């Protein structure tokens, strides 16, 4: 009788790999972000990636950065975490205490959104904006509202 496999990937690695897979759908030429929300029973509730509203035709929006807000991608892109929350078709009650796996640390707008959705934990891969004002506001929001966060690495 063969013994069971023991070297399976962890839940952290599994959900982060789902988030990474979602990021591969992003049309952003510079920064592709993916998010996966898992509930306290290790069930995936939703996934999302950064994209323009509705995504019917994402050629209608700019994909570059510009000093002109009308021509700047940041004015239009819906962040991966926001899309993951919005893509969920069930009751937000299911999101209480859930964990968001995201490939980039949430901005302060997403931090507020995640708090309001009832998320309990953020697990992230990269934090390229660490130390910026936005990042500090985001951390303050999560800290004050009792949402924990931790960084994980995923083997190549
Ligand atoms: N956590 C995040 N989730 C996201 O979906 N994004 C998106 C918004 C933009 O499409 C892109 C960041 O723009 P930039 O770093 O290339 O200029 O990533 C950005 C962050 C950063 O906080
Ligand atoms: Zn955001």
């Amino acid at each position: 009788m063969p013994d069971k496999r023991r070297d399976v990937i962890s839940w952290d690695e599994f959900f982060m790999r789902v988030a990474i897979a979602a990021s591969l759908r992003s049309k952003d030429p510079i920064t592709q972000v993916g998010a996966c929300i898992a509930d306290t029973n290790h069930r995936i509730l939703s996934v999302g990636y950064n994209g323009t509203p509705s995504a019917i035709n994402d050629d209608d929006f700019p994909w570059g950065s510009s000093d002109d807000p009308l021509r700047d991608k940041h004015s239009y892109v819906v962040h991966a975490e926001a899309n993951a929350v919005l893509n969920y078709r069930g009751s937000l009650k299911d999101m209480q205490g859930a964990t968001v796996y995201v490939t980039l640390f949430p901005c302060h707008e997403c931090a507020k959104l995640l708090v309001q959705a009832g998320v309990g934990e953020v697990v992230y891969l990269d934090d390229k904006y660490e130390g910026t004002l936005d990042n500090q506001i985001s951390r303050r929001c999560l800290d004050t509202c009792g949402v924990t966060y931790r960084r994980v690495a995923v083997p190549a």
Side-chain angles (χ1 to χ4, degrees), residues 26-97:
S26 173
K27 309 285 173 56
D28 191 316
I30 305 294
T31 310
Q32 302 85 41
V33 185
C36 170
I37 305 178
D39 74 8
T40 51
N41 292 312
H42 297 136
R43 283 187 289 240
I44 291 176
L45 298 180
S46 187
V47 294
Y49 59 89
N50 54 326
T52 51
S54 296
I56 291 167
N57 186 353
D58 44 30
D59 291 328
D60 291 343
F61 294 98
W63 280 112
S65 297
S66 169
D67 290 338
D68 176 359
L70 283 171
R71 298 172 193 278
D72 183 10
K73 69 173 181 181
H74 301 92
S75 303
Y76 304 102
V77 169
V78 182
H79 288 194
E81 308 90 310
N83 269 326
V85 170
L86 292 166
N87 284 338
Y88 186 54
R89 297 289 115 180
S91 164
L92 270 188
K93 273 192 254 169
D94 304 338
M95 229 172 259
Q96 296 305 306

Side-chain angles (χ1 to χ4, degrees), residues 1-8:
M1 192 68 126
D3 202 4
K4 70 176 182 187
R5 282 185 66 227
R6 292 179 192 278
D7 59 342
V8 300

Side-chain angles (χ1 to χ4, degrees), residues 77-83 85 100 102 104-117 119 122 134 138 141-142:
V77 169
V78 182
H79 288 194
E81 308 90 310
N83 269 326
V85 170
V100 173
V102 62
L104 185 58
F105 194 86
C107 74
H108 83 281
E109 290 293 346
C110 287
K112 288 188 284 187
L113 194 84
L114 296 175
V115 165
Q116 291 304 84
V119 161
V122 173
D134 185 275
S138 184
C141 182
L142 297 174

